[in-house]
Amino acid sequence: MNITLALSGGGIKGFAHIGVIRILEREGFIIRGVAGTSAGGLVGALYASGYSPDEMEDRLRDIDQGNLFARMHGDGPAIFGFAGVTAILSDLLGERRFDDLRIPLALTATDLNTGLPVVIKQGKLMDGVLATSAVPGVFPAKQIAGHLLVDGGVMNPIPVAEARAFSPGIPVVAVVLSPPLGWQVEEGINSSTNVTLLMANLPLVYRLAGRLRLAQAFNLFIHAMDLTGQTLMDKQLKLEKPSVIIRPKLRQIGIIDHVDVSQVIRAGEQAAQEAIPDLIKAGEWQQRLRQRIAGFLTLGRGSKNGA
């Protein structure tokens, strides 16, 4: 069955997309296009470049997460940088361009100068990935052709419309890495519970910094951004109505936490496996709809010929 993917952002949680893709391929689904935001854009770029889920896991499982977000010379205003990410992308993507990809890819970004969403479908692939991943203030903005671009999740956290545009007649699978609004209530977290520190699992240098007032304020800022993103995400999902939503359970992981990569990938696998019955139903429903439309068109032509 043919599908297209819309992959959300989520920082380090983006490894879950690898697990989702692995299960979809294993179950026989054929991915005809990928639209990605932020971390979803990174995984989507690797997949569209020809890397299999197994290859992605092998290459990314043992990366140095401590230096992943280190700053480098020339970085613009931001708390963290993309030194480690850039090195990995240089190795994996090199000089590839969108024209070199095996399947269509769309990356979303936000133009800070115009305030408008941007869809990147051409040019150097690595530039597009860095632009879609640039969380404002957290990572440096990316200059491309005179545009100052930041994370696509600011305006378009789950690019369902872009995924649907690849092939309007097939199901769109949205992979969402943020939890739904109100998940705290389901897990017994109430107003008397301390806010989760989203940097609590970072390497030692960041954990020590987390005791400082500035870093604690940053944690609160990121937490508030998460809530805003969840609200925008839920509204967009209701508006654009993907065929199926896959939501790995990664609720307590922050966007720059230190994680067990394989464990995050397994969470994506589990969520995808649980969604297979819904995917099959979505495919069957769309097939019936296409047959019904074809029947109406045939009937209409027959009426004209008879007249």
Side-chain angles (χ1 to χ4, degrees):
M1 185 172 109
N2 294 321
I3 60 172
T4 56
L5 293 182
L7 306 180
S8 83
I12 205 74
K13 294 185 285 188
F15 291 116
H17 289 311
I18 299 173
V20 171
I21 293 172
R22 174 180 284 149
I23 294 301
L24 293 178
E25 284 194 337
R26 186 179 298 169
E27 294 293 329
F29 295 94
I30 302 171
I31 299 169
R32 294 300 187 184
V34 180
T37 294
S38 197
L42 191 156
V43 173
L46 292 176
Y47 183 70
S49 295
Y51 288 99
S52 70
D54 288 348
E55 290 170 329
M56 284 189 274
E57 181 170 6
D58 288 342
R59 299 292 293 272
L60 299 174
R61 181 175 47 221
D62 299 320
I63 58 174
D64 182 1
Q65 295 181 46
N67 291 317
L68 200 58
F69 305 120
R71 290 180 60 81
M72 57 186 177
H73 180 72
D75 277 346
I79 296 174
F80 298 102
F82 276 142
V85 174
T86 300
I88 292 169
L89 291 178
S90 296
D91 178 42
L92 295 177
L93 299 179
E95 297 298 317
R96 282 189 181 91
R97 302 179 69 82
F98 280 80
D99 293 340
D100 301 324
L101 301 178
R102 65 183 182 90
I103 60 173
L105 174 71
L107 304 178
T108 65
T110 304
D111 189 332
L112 284 181
N113 293 327
T114 65
L116 297 175
V118 173
V119 181
I120 306 171
K121 294 182 178 180
Q122 59 185 5
K124 188 176 177 182
L125 190 56
M126 191 167 81
D127 287 344
V129 172
L130 291 176
T132 191
S133 304
V135 178
V138 180
F139 301 118
K142 182 68 177 176
Q143 288 273 3
I144 299 180
H147 299 277
L148 186 63
L149 301 179
V150 295
D151 194 325
V154 173
M155 301 288 288
N156 188 5
I158 182 68
V160 173
E162 288 72 21
R164 184 170 283 130
F166 290 133
S167 187
I170 65 177
V172 177
V173 179
V175 186
V176 180
L177 302 184
S178 65
L181 286 171
W183 70 269
Q184 295 92 337
V185 175
E186 294 178 8
E187 297 199 359
I189 300 174
N190 54 46
S191 59
S192 64
T193 307
N194 290 330
V195 173
T196 302
L197 294 180
L198 298 179
M199 293 197 299
N201 296 323
L202 286 172
L204 180 60
V205 61
Y206 294 146
R207 290 207 306 270
L208 292 176
R211 297 173 185 171
L212 302 176
R213 183 176 300 175
L214 180 61
Q216 291 172 335
F218 175 68
N219 268 307
L220 293 174
F221 169 71
I222 292 295
H223 185 75
M225 282 185 61
D226 258 10
L227 294 177
T228 302
Q230 289 170 30
T231 302
L232 180 58
M233 180 84 72
D234 281 14
K235 290 183 181 299
Q236 192 172 349
L237 289 170
K238 290 176 182 177
L239 179 66
E240 298 187 354
K241 295 181 173 60
S243 307
V244 174
I245 298 172
I246 297 177
R247 216 162 198 156
K249 295 180 180 178
L250 303 163
R251 296 173 178 180
Q252 297 293 347
I253 299 176
I255 63 171
I256 52 176
D257 277 352
H258 190 285
V259 298
D260 180 327
V261 172
S262 293
Q263 185 176 356
V264 174
I265 292 174
R266 297 293 95 74
E269 290 179 357
Q270 181 179 348
Q273 196 67 59
E274 292 171 355
I276 294 302
D278 291 334
L279 266 167
I280 293 173
K281 288 179 183 177
E284 292 173 346
W285 179 83
Q286 293 208 348
Q287 177 64 22
R288 289 197 298 271
L289 180 61
R290 285 194 294 269
Q291 291 173 346
R292 188 168 298 179
I293 292 173
F296 284 140
L297 293 175
T298 302
L299 181 62
R301 285 194 295 269
S303 298
K304 289 180 181 180
N305 292 337

